[in-house]
Amino acid sequence: HRFQPQNPLCGAQPFSPREVGGEEEELRLSAHTLLLPTRGQLEARMMVTAFEMGLDNVTEDAISTMICAVEHHLKDVLTAVITRRKAYRLRDGHFPYAFGTDVTPRPYLKNSLSAFHGISECPPPSASLPACPPPQVSPDDAEQKAVHLLACSSDTLPAPLPPISMFDLLEALKVHRGVMPSHTMYALNMERVLAQLWHPSHEELEQDHIHRQRLAGKEGMLVS
């Protein structure tokens, strides 16, 4: 009849708290950090996908190719958004450049288009295109072309645009459907964009205004 009290936690495993900023930051995805995935994060994601598809390993070349593909995909999305907001020029009829230039043509001048299309620039050498010598243009001809281009342009600068918003991204994805060829990814991203475009109703704004007035009144009474 002798009762001895026993601590029920004596048989439990010792608790070791995690260090702040350790594993939690490593487990955060790109949707939370708003940064491109690192090589390690991308490799881990590709390993999981390869295991689900019945593959054993992922090569280094595949990881490098995926990193390059992600960068080019984001570049295409940003290009589609910027081309809907700013004027630009085309090299060889396909490659856009000179985004947001202050020199804009006048559509009602006949010599305006000829001045803008008469600019010849040599593209930089790359691995796919052979290096071409830069065009030999004398200083007088270059100055004459610049003056002609400035004379055919508008005399007023365009107003500065607001920062890029979700409305710009939505419009760019609607116009440039080729940016996301996969219908599944296109539908998923459009749903995310539309979900970010939520705004409160008039009733919610009115209730928020009344709540702020009450808080201001309480703070005024406390101060007085």
Side-chain angles (χ1 to χ4, degrees):
H1 299 284
R2 295 180 178 178
F3 177 77
Q4 296 180 359
Q6 184 71 18
N7 186 8
L9 299 178
C10 62
Q13 297 181 357
F15 175 73
S16 58
R18 295 181 180 179
E19 296 181 358
V20 179
E23 298 179 359
E24 295 182 357
E25 293 184 358
E26 297 180 358
L27 297 176
R28 296 182 65 184
L29 301 177
S30 299
H32 302 89
T33 60
L34 302 180
L35 299 174
L36 285 176
T38 60
R39 189 177 184 88
Q41 294 175 350
L42 192 58
E43 182 179 3
R45 180 62 180 173
M46 293 180 66
M47 288 292 293
V48 173
T49 306
F51 178 76
E52 293 176 353
M53 299 300 296
L55 303 177
D56 297 333
N57 197 1
V58 178
T59 60
E60 295 292 333
D61 295 338
I63 300 174
S64 302
T65 304
M66 185 60 65
I67 292 175
C68 183
V70 171
E71 292 177 354
H72 277 271
H73 179 66
L74 292 180
K75 179 185 70 68
D76 294 339
V77 174
L78 292 177
T79 303
V81 174
I82 295 175
T83 52
R84 298 296 302 172
R85 291 167 50 91
K86 289 286 189 176
Y88 61 93
R89 302 175 188 171
L90 292 177
R91 180 181 286 116
D92 297 336
H94 299 282
F95 306 102
Y97 73 102
F99 296 97
T101 176
D102 295 335
V103 181
T104 55
R106 293 184 181 182
Y108 49 85
L109 289 181
K110 184 177 181 181
N111 296 332
S112 178
L113 295 178
S114 61
F116 277 81
H117 291 297
I119 301 176
S120 60
E121 296 185 7
C122 181
S126 60
S128 58
L129 297 176
C132 59
Q136 299 296 330
V137 181
S138 62
D140 296 336
D141 294 340
E143 183 179 1
Q144 183 178 2
K145 288 184 179 181
V147 171
H148 186 200
L149 184 63
L150 186 61
C152 294
S153 62
S154 178
D155 53 353
T156 58
L157 296 178
L161 297 176
I164 296 177
S165 62
M166 300 301 294
F167 292 98
D168 298 324
L169 180 60
L170 179 63
E171 180 186 3
L173 292 180
K174 285 183 178 181
V175 175
H176 300 278
R177 294 290 299 271
V179 174
M180 294 185 181
S182 175
H183 177 71
T184 304
M185 294 301 300
Y186 180 81
L188 179 61
N189 285 277
M190 290 297 287
E191 290 179 359
R192 290 179 177 177
V193 172
L194 292 174
Q196 293 293 331
L197 292 178
W198 175 87
H199 58 86
S201 61
H202 293 283
E203 290 78 7
E204 293 175 346
L205 292 176
E206 184 178 357
Q207 292 294 331
D208 183 71
H209 181 65
I210 296 174
H211 179 66
R212 291 179 182 275
Q213 287 182 348
R214 291 179 178 177
L215 291 179
K218 290 181 180 179
E219 291 179 358
M221 292 175 60
L222 292 176
V223 170
S224 60

